[in-house]
Amino acid sequence: MAKMGKKYSDSVKLLEKNKMYDPAEALALVCQTSKAKFDETIELHVRLGVDSRHADQQVRGAVVLPNGTGKTVRTLVFAKGDKADAAKAAGADYVGAEDMVAKIQQENWFEFDVVIASPDMMGVIGRLGKVLGPKGLMPNPKAGTVTPDVARAVTEAKAGKIEYRLDKTNIIHCPIGKASFGAEKLQENFETLMGAIIKARPAAAKGQYIKSCVLASTMGPGIKINQAKLG
């Protein structure tokens, strides 16, 4: 078994074994257990009582966190004409069409975090499905990244819009900010994200929807949240 570092061990001592914490208490603790020399990202991991293998039990969407993620988001927009001009005016980092497809294919270029496209451009970037898809970067209408209003999508992405979706083990993993935000701002982001996940419950989901909920900083231990207090 790998030996844990001193800072991690000290963080674990702050937690009561097997205790399920109220959200506010857990958020305060996750800041205390963030002991790295860098500003750690605070992540939320939610296991749902659904089966992602069934299309009618998928849980996926996007939400703008009120306090952002603390990360500088680089946006690539596929658009032409007025939409391209609007994207540039909104602060998009890169804007283009076929030229950007060629850059990605020929140079293996991925200096961006979010890809946004106007609907008429999906035929153009369809050729990138095999490289963007595995990285989770392919634009999708459900995430709001395929839209006629590319300028708004750029603004939301820069403001801290995140996408949530199930992985193969029926868990959603999402950042909710940085340790430097403090418990109050993190709680606002946490409540916004959890509210969206709860609202997105599929009609086909039976029984207990939220199976478990864990908060953790990048280098810190997981803190279990009492899912009965999540509404």
Side-chain angles (χ1 to χ4, degrees):
M1 183 176 176
K3 186 177 179 180
M4 298 299 178
K6 184 178 184 302
K7 289 182 179 179
Y8 184 92
S9 298
D10 288 344
S11 293
V12 170
K13 291 175 184 177
L14 296 172
L15 308 179
E16 291 183 39
K17 193 174 181 179
N18 299 324
K19 179 175 179 178
M20 307 287 279
Y21 291 91
D22 288 351
E25 192 176 6
L27 286 156
L29 273 171
V30 81
C31 292
Q32 291 178 43
T33 57
S34 175
K35 296 179 179 293
K37 292 181 179 179
F38 62 92
D39 193 6
E40 295 182 54
T41 296
I42 306 302
E43 299 173 348
L44 176 65
H45 309 275
V46 185
R47 184 164 65 92
L48 300 180
V50 297
D51 189 341
S52 60
R53 294 174 297 178
H54 300 288
D56 62 352
Q57 293 187 48
Q58 284 292 329
V59 178
R60 181 176 185 176
V63 64
V64 178
L65 299 180
N67 298 300
T69 62
K71 179 182 177 182
T72 300
V73 178
R74 301 165 298 176
T75 54
L76 166 59
V77 178
F78 285 92
K80 291 182 177 179
D82 292 343
K83 288 184 174 62
D85 293 338
K88 290 175 184 175
D93 297 275
Y94 309 101
V95 181
E98 289 86 352
D99 57 328
M100 288 298 178
V101 173
K103 185 174 178 68
I104 292 169
Q105 289 179 326
Q106 296 169 16
E107 301 177 23
N108 198 32
W109 175 75
F110 293 100
E111 299 299 315
F112 47 85
D113 305 298
V114 176
V115 182
I116 296 163
S118 58
D120 59 306
M121 295 301 297
M122 289 308 293
V124 174
I125 64 173
R127 288 171 276 167
L128 296 174
K130 289 184 179 179
V131 292
L132 294 182
K135 293 178 180 293
L137 292 170
M138 194 67 182
N140 185 290
K142 289 183 179 179
T145 46
V146 177
T147 172
D149 194 349
V150 291
R152 179 179 177 183
V154 169
T155 300
E156 289 182 341
K158 294 282 188 181
K161 185 175 186 177
I162 60 169
E163 182 181 359
Y164 58 88
R165 60 188 299 182
L166 288 174
D167 66 8
K168 291 180 180 179
T169 60
N170 304 314
I171 299 175
I172 290 174
H173 311 271
C174 278
I176 61 167
K178 297 286 187 179
S180 61
F181 282 19
E184 189 174 331
K185 287 185 176 180
L186 286 172
Q187 182 159 359
E188 291 174 357
N189 283 356
F190 170 85
E191 290 175 350
T192 298
L193 176 58
M194 282 306 308
I197 292 172
I198 291 169
K199 190 175 181 180
R201 175 175 179 151
K206 305 298 181 184
Q208 186 178 356
Y209 180 51
I210 298 175
K211 291 285 189 178
S212 67
C213 185
V214 176
L215 277 171
S217 60
T218 306
M219 305 294 288
I223 301 170
K224 297 178 181 178
I225 293 177
N226 183 354
Q227 60 265 34
K229 300 294 182 74
L230 296 175

